[in-house]
DNA sequence: TCTCGAACTCGTCATGGTCC
DNA sequence: GGACCATGACGAGTTCGAGA
């Protein structure tokens, strides 16, 4: 991570108010403190959550700084905490601390940042669009799926065109010699089949692959319980009774949970990277603004001195 | 070429927040 | 209240560059 100039920039764009919980708690993205005369900080006051404001010219550590946001002038108390961090000490702290104590969402933060001040920065898309993107590279309903054991099984629904998540469907699986879709890696006895329906919606089916030596396959039900997100269905054997089947069922649930969490972790990391990139861009922009303002200040000073000399 | 340590990646678990 | 999601934390594996 390259070092950032200026004062500590909180992830939510606010001035450091010593909140205990911050997305930067891992430390890897903490900006380094560099000594500069003028610090430009973007802050989001609690009264106007989505409106960035700028704190300028915090030259003396302890003083009142003027925050201008959307045409409004606010005055906040700002102090330096000895470690180079600006600390806001006004009465809003309790409220802000309450808000910041909640775990942040990179997506929310980034979307706030992009909508508030940088229209050019792409928002992190909502899940709907992500799902749509995924389904666009999927195929239609496969008749054959390959299990984690390299086994190919045929899914022969009573009416594949009506294989929807509405209501219950019974499908049968039979061994077949053709492969079509590779299933997720699963422990012995289970597999997760991912496919796309004719209407483009993505489906995950957790399927136990306990095919008897005689090739006999029992019937499974595909159901879409309300607890599962759209596009995810569970395949459960009909009439689970034995402890072994219960164990298999819980193993399947666990695998599905792990798979989802794996995906969630990937997404989370991707969002985090995007968020850090966004912050770096903002830092670069603000540094540039800072330079411009310094130059402007210099020229105004010179102009003023020149005028004073001539008078 | 081998070794070592830092950095990075990924999967999993724990936990708090949100939704129904 | 339970299911689900988002994310921090942690450990294991991988990569890469520097030094012997």
């Amino acid at each position: 991570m390259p070092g950032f100039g200026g004062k500590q920039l909180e992830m939510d764009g606010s001035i450091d108010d010593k909140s205990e919980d911050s997305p930067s708690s891992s430390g890897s993205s903490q900006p380094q403190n560099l000594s500069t005369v003028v610090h430009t900080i973007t802050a989001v006051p609690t009264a106007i959550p989505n409106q960035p404001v700028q704190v300028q010219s915090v030259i003396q550590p302890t003083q009142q700084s003027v925050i201008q946001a959307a045409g409004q002038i606010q005055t906040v108390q700002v102090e330096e905490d000895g470690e180079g961090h600006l600390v806001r000490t006004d009465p809003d702290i309790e409220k802000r601390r309450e808000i910041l104590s909640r775990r942040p969402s990179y997506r929310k933060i980034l979307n706030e940042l992009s909508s508030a001040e940088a229209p050019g920065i792409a928002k992190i898309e909502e899940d709907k669009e992500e799902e749509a993107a995924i389904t666009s590279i999927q195929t239609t309903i496969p008749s054959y799926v390959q299990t984690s054991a390299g086994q190919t099984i045929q899914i022969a629904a009573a009416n594949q065109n009506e294989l929807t998540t509405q209501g219950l469907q019974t499908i049968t699986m039979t061994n077949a010699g053709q492969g079509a879709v590779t299933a997720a890696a699963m422990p012995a006895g289970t597999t997760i089949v991912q496919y796309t329906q004719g209407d483009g919606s993505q489906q995950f089916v957790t399927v136990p692959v306990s095919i008897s030596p005689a090739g006999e396959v029992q019937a499974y039900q595909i159901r879409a319980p309300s607890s599962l997100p759209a596009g995810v269905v569970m395949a459960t054997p009909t009439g689970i009774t034995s402890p072994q089947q219960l164990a298999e069922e819980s193993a399947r649930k666990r695998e599905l949970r792990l798979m989802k969490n794996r995906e969630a972790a990937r997404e989370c990391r991707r969002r985090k990277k995007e968020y850090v990139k966004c912050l770096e861009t903002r830092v670069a922009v603000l540094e540039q603004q800072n330079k411009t303002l310094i130059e402007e200040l210099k020229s105004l000073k010179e102009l003023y001195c020149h005028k004073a000399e001539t008078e």
Side-chain angles (χ1 to χ4, degrees), chain A residues 40 285-297:
Chain A
T40 302
V285 168
L286 292 173
E287 280 178 342
Q288 189 56 45
Q289 282 181 3
N290 202 12
K291 280 182 188 171
T292 308
L293 288 170
I294 290 172
E295 290 301 317
E296 197 179 329
L297 181 64

Side-chain angles (χ1 to χ4, degrees), chain A residues 175-187:
Chain A
N175 282 327
Q178 304 168 43
V181 175
T182 303
M186 296 287 290

Side-chain angles (χ1 to χ4, degrees), chain A residues 47-66:
Chain A
I48 315 169
N50 289 326
Q51 293 292 335
V53 296
Q54 289 197 340
V55 180
Q56 293 183 356
S57 303
V58 187
I59 299 169
Q60 298 300 323
T62 303
Q63 64 181 24
Q64 290 203 326
S65 300
V66 176

Side-chain angles (χ1 to χ4, degrees), chain A residues 6-193:
Chain A
K7 296 292 183 182
Q8 173 159 337
L9 182 71
E10 283 292 290
M11 294 299 190
D12 67 346
S14 65
I15 298 171
D16 184 357
D17 65 358
K18 287 185 176 174
S19 163
E20 292 179 1
D21 194 358
S22 144
S24 61
S25 59
S26 64
S28 60
S29 58
Q30 287 285 359
Q32 296 171 2
N33 293 316
L34 296 176
S35 169
T36 54
V37 178
V38 178
H39 307 288
T40 302
I41 300 168
T42 301
V44 180
T46 47
I48 315 169
N50 289 326
Q51 293 292 335
V53 296
Q54 289 197 340
V55 180
Q56 293 183 356
S57 303
V58 187
I59 299 169
Q60 298 300 323
T62 303
Q63 64 181 24
Q64 290 203 326
S65 300
V66 176
I67 294 182
Q68 185 165 9
Q72 297 181 13
I73 301 290
Q74 293 186 353
T75 302
V76 298
Q77 196 76 25
V78 178
E79 293 179 4
E80 200 162 303
D81 65 357
E83 295 176 4
H85 298 169
L86 290 180
V87 179
R88 185 172 164 179
T89 56
D90 63 328
D92 280 351
I93 283 183
E94 283 305 313
K95 199 174 180 180
R96 288 182 40 74
R97 191 165 289 166
E98 194 177 324
I99 292 169
L100 289 172
S101 68
R102 290 161 58 182
R103 200 169 272 184
S105 161
Y106 292 118
R107 179 188 296 169
K108 280 183 186 171
I109 295 169
L110 185 56
N111 286 347
E112 280 178 11
L113 291 180
S114 19
S115 64
E117 70 171 26
I121 299 174
K123 286 186 178 184
I124 297 180
E125 294 176 353
E126 296 299 325
D127 289 341
K128 275 183 187 175
E129 295 172 29
E130 289 171 2
E131 282 176 11
I134 291 171
T135 54
S136 66
I137 59 168
Q138 302 294 318
T139 61
T140 53
I141 301 174
S143 295
Y144 303 91
V145 296
Q146 190 169 19
T147 71
S148 51
Q151 206 173 12
T152 300
I153 53 178
Q154 180 183 10
I155 296 180
N159 182 353
Q160 284 193 346
N161 292 333
E162 295 175 0
L163 187 63
T164 70
T165 59
Q166 308 295 322
L168 296 178
Q169 281 280 347
T170 299
I171 63 171
T172 58
M173 299 188 303
T174 56
N175 282 327
Q178 304 168 43
V181 175
T182 303
M186 296 287 290
T190 61
T191 190
I192 290 179
V193 179

